[in-house]
Amino acid sequence: MTRQKDQTYKLDRRELMAMVATLTGAGATSAAMAGNGSTAASLSAASHSRDYKSMFPHDSFRDYMADLERRGLVMRVKRMDQDQYELTAAAYRLMDCIGMYEAPAILAEEVKIDGKWVKGPVIINHMGHWDTEAISLGLEPVPHHGSQTYRKAMKHVMDLVEENGGKVPEIPPVEVPRDQAPVKELVFTGDDINILDFPFVISNPADSGRYVNTGSVFTEDVELGKNFGTYRCEIKGPRKIGVNPEPGQGAWRMFMAKKERGEKEAVCSIVLGQDPMVWVLSSSAINKGGKADELALAGGLRGKPVEVVKSETNDMMVPANAEMVIEGIVPLDEPMEPEGPFGEMYGYLGLKKSENFFMNITAITCRPQPWILNQFTGVTRGFVTAPLEGISLLRLRKLAPQIVDFHSPVEATGLAFVSIKKDKPGQALKIGERLAKIVPISKIVIVVDDDLDVYDRTQMMFAMGSRWQPFTASKILESARGMPLDPSSPDRPMSSKIIIDATRQWPEEGGPEIYPELNRTLLKELAPEAFPNFDKDWGDMLMKWEKLRAKRI
C-alpha cells in the first residue's frame, strides 16, 4: 500500500457546530479544518436530496448509510489518525457538542493504524440520531421532534406484534447463489488470511488491543438451536481472535453445553456490516428466551426476507449482503486465554479476564474494501432501541396492566423510567420492585404518573423533585440480578437496587390531603387554544431561530 503524506487537524467545538449547521442546511457544503501547519484535512457533508422517500428495506449496511447520507446525517472525513485516537476523541466530542440523540454518523475514508494509513471506510455512531429510530424501520421521522419520532417507531413495532397475535412477525430467510452474494466477492483461506489487514482499531488507549466489536457471532447447537449475538472479539493475531460472550448469553450457553457433552470444538461465523434489522436483533434481547430464527425475525421487522448464503468452512447460513464474514473454530478442549481489558457499556474500563474463549480463523469472505463499523461502547448509542422497548413494553403490560410507558435511557445505563396509571395505594413501589427483579439492567427504577413523559429527562427530574418523598416512597433491594459489567457491583452480576415512587403521593401513602394541579395542565384545560394558536403563528419562528443560533456558534 502506498504511504501518503501524514495529514492532521484539530477540530474544536465552534468548527464542529458549524459543520452540524451545514448538515441541517439546504445543500452540500464543506469546511476546511485548521491544522497544525500541514495541509488541512477536509470534513464534508455529502450532498443529500430533499426527496426523502424511504429506501427501506435496507438490504445492506451500505443501503442504510446511503439513506442516512442523503438526509444529511453523515459527516465524511478524509482521514483520521487513530494512532492519536482521533476517532475516539471524535466520538466524545460528538456527545459533548451535539448530544447523544442529535449527533450524525462519522465516516472516515482512511484511518491510521500502527503507523500506516489504511483505507476504510470506518463508520461510527450509525444509529445515534433520533431519526434513525424511524429510518431503520422505513418510517419518516417527525421533523425536529425526537421523542415523537421514537414513539412513532415504537408504535410501529408494537402494532406489528399485536397484529401477529402477540409475537414478532417472521419471514424466513431465502438462500441465494454464492455468485449473487456480495459477501463472497473475496475469499481468504489458509495462509492468505490476515485479519490485521483490515481497519479494525484500538478504540481506547487502555484497551488490550484491536477489536472486532460489531460482529454478529453466529452459533448453533443440537439442543439449543441457532443464535447470533454481538460480543467483543479481541484480535490476537493474523488468524486468531477472542470471542467474549458473557455468562448466560446465547453463545456462552451453547459453548458450555457442547463442553458438557464432551465436544471438542464449536464452529462460528462472525458477520460484520449487517443490515439494520439484523444488527438490532444481534445487539438486543428481542428474542431472549425464545427459539425463533432470529434471521426470520429480522425479516419480519423488515417486511422482506433476509438473503443468506452458506459459509465457506461450515454449514451456517449468513447474510449474503454483509460486508464481511469471519469463520472459524472455537476449541473447547484447550486452555482458555486471557482477554481484555476493554472500554465497556457503562463508560468504564472493563475488567481483564483470565480465561476467555478464542477462535482460530478458517476463512474470511468480504466485499472489496469492506465498510467497517466500530462501536465506541459507553460513548455513543450502539443501536436503535425502539423495537426492543416496544416489545418489552408489551410484555411488561401483561405483568402489570397499569404500566403506560417504559424507558431505559442509553446515556445513563442502570436508570429506568416507568409511567403508570395508579389505581390503588402502594402500587408504584410494587410495580417498580417487580421490574427491578426481572430486568437486570434496571438498578434505579423511577415510577411516575401517566401525565409525564418518560422520554423527557426534565420531566423525570421534575417528578423526583416535586412528587417524591424519600422516606416513605422508596424501597431498597439488598440483592437482585444486575449486569455483569456494572463497575459499581462488588459481587457481579448481583447488585442492590432502589425503587423510587415519584408518583403523586395519595393521603393513604402519607401524601398531602390536597395535591395541586400542574400549571401546564391548567393552561391546557382552561385555555385549550393557547398552544395550537402559538404553534400556528410562531412555531416556524422558533425553528428558524434554532437553526440561525447553530450557524452562529
Side-chain angles (χ1 to χ4, degrees), residues 426-441:
Q427 194 171 60
L429 286 178
K430 290 181 179 178
I431 290 175
E433 180 177 359
R434 196 168 187 185
L435 285 176
K437 288 180 175 178
I438 65 174
V439 183
I441 202 170

Side-chain angles (χ1 to χ4, degrees), residues 235-311:
I235 296 176
K236 295 175 174 287
R239 289 174 285 281
K240 187 179 185 180
I241 60 175
V243 182
N244 181 62
E246 297 292 338
Q249 291 182 320
W252 185 88
R253 290 187 292 110
M254 289 186 178
F255 292 163
M256 297 307 292
K258 291 176 184 292
K259 288 186 73 170
E260 290 172 5
R261 292 195 301 265
E263 298 181 33
K264 295 183 178 182
E265 61 185 35
V267 296
C268 288
S269 289
I270 303 176
V271 178
L272 293 99
Q274 315 87 325
D275 75 69
M277 286 302 104
V278 171
W279 171 246
V280 168
L281 264 295
S282 179
S283 303
S284 65
I286 288 176
N287 192 39
K288 186 175 182 179
K291 290 191 175 182
D293 182 345
E294 289 174 306
L295 288 176
L297 295 178
L301 291 173
R302 283 161 34 92
K304 179 183 178 182
V306 176
E307 294 182 342
V308 295
V309 67
K310 183 178 172 294
S311 299

Side-chain angles (χ1 to χ4, degrees), residues 59-289:
D59 287 330
S60 69
F61 181 42
R62 298 189 191 200
D63 289 346
Y64 170 74
M65 289 301 299
D67 205 351
L68 294 193
E69 192 155 27
R70 67 178 183 160
R71 296 167 185 268
L73 293 176
V74 178
M75 232 182 236
R76 277 186 175 261
V77 184
K78 291 293 183 184
R79 320 181 96 189
M80 294 202 89
D81 184 351
Q82 192 55 13
D83 285 350
Q84 298 298 317
Y85 296 100
E86 285 190 332
L87 275 171
T88 312
Y92 280 105
R93 282 293 185 245
L94 285 177
M95 303 303 104
D96 295 343
C97 299
I98 309 172
M100 182 167 284
Y101 297 93
E102 298 293 338
I106 289 182
L107 185 152
E109 295 175 2
E110 285 187 290
V111 291
K112 194 175 188 181
I113 302 171
D114 294 336
K116 297 179 180 179
W117 287 104
V118 183
K119 287 190 179 296
V122 175
I123 295 96
I124 69 171
N125 198 42
H126 76 308
M127 287 187 170
H129 197 283
W130 275 121
D131 287 0
T132 61
E133 297 285 349
I135 294 166
S136 62
L137 291 165
L139 308 173
E140 284 303 312
V142 179
H144 313 296
H145 209 302
S147 63
Q148 287 186 17
T149 295
Y150 195 83
R151 287 184 181 279
K152 182 178 182 178
M154 279 187 63
K155 184 179 184 302
H156 172 77
V157 174
M158 293 168 73
D159 287 347
L160 285 177
V161 172
E162 290 184 318
E163 291 166 4
N164 193 49
K167 296 181 179 180
V168 180
E170 297 182 38
I171 299 179
V174 295
E175 185 175 1
V176 298
R178 74 185 315 281
D179 61 359
Q180 295 179 22
V183 79
K184 296 290 190 180
E185 289 186 59
L186 297 176
V187 178
F188 302 92
T189 58
D191 292 341
D192 291 333
I193 298 170
N194 189 352
I195 197 169
L196 298 170
D197 287 341
F198 299 97
F200 297 108
V201 302
I202 300 177
S203 294
N204 308 285
D207 289 354
S208 56
R210 294 164 65 179
Y211 270 81
V212 175
N213 66 12
T214 59
S216 296
V217 180
F218 279 65
T219 54
E220 293 182 359
D221 183 79
V222 292
E223 296 176 355
L224 299 175
K226 300 178 181 180
N227 178 264
F228 62 85
T230 305
Y231 317 119
R232 71 189 196 213
C233 299
E234 181 181 6
I235 296 176
K236 295 175 174 287
R239 289 174 285 281
K240 187 179 185 180
I241 60 175
V243 182
N244 181 62
E246 297 292 338
Q249 291 182 320
W252 185 88
R253 290 187 292 110
M254 289 186 178
F255 292 163
M256 297 307 292
K258 291 176 184 292
K259 288 186 73 170
E260 290 172 5
R261 292 195 301 265
E263 298 181 33
K264 295 183 178 182
E265 61 185 35
V267 296
C268 288
S269 289
I270 303 176
V271 178
L272 293 99
Q274 315 87 325
D275 75 69
M277 286 302 104
V278 171
W279 171 246
V280 168
L281 264 295
S282 179
S283 303
S284 65
I286 288 176
N287 192 39
K288 186 175 182 179

Side-chain angles (χ1 to χ4, degrees), residues 24-59:
T24 57
T29 59
S30 64
M33 301 297 106
N36 60 355
S38 62
T39 305
S42 67
L43 179 66
S44 65
S47 176
H48 55 280
S49 168
R50 285 295 177 184
D51 179 12
Y52 289 162
K53 186 177 180 180
S54 178
M55 297 168 67
F56 185 83
H58 308 101
D59 287 330

Side-chain angles (χ1 to χ4, degrees), residues 464-503:
M464 292 181 67
S466 66
R467 297 184 183 181
W468 178 44
Q469 279 294 308
F471 183 70
T472 57
S474 307
K475 184 166 185 177
I476 293 178
L477 305 180
E478 184 176 354
S479 182
R481 185 166 183 83
M483 295 295 286
L485 298 174
D486 183 351
S488 70
S489 175
D491 184 26
R492 304 183 186 187
M494 305 308 292
S495 174
S496 60
K497 298 191 175 188
I498 186 170
I499 298 92
I500 294 172
D501 178 1
T503 63

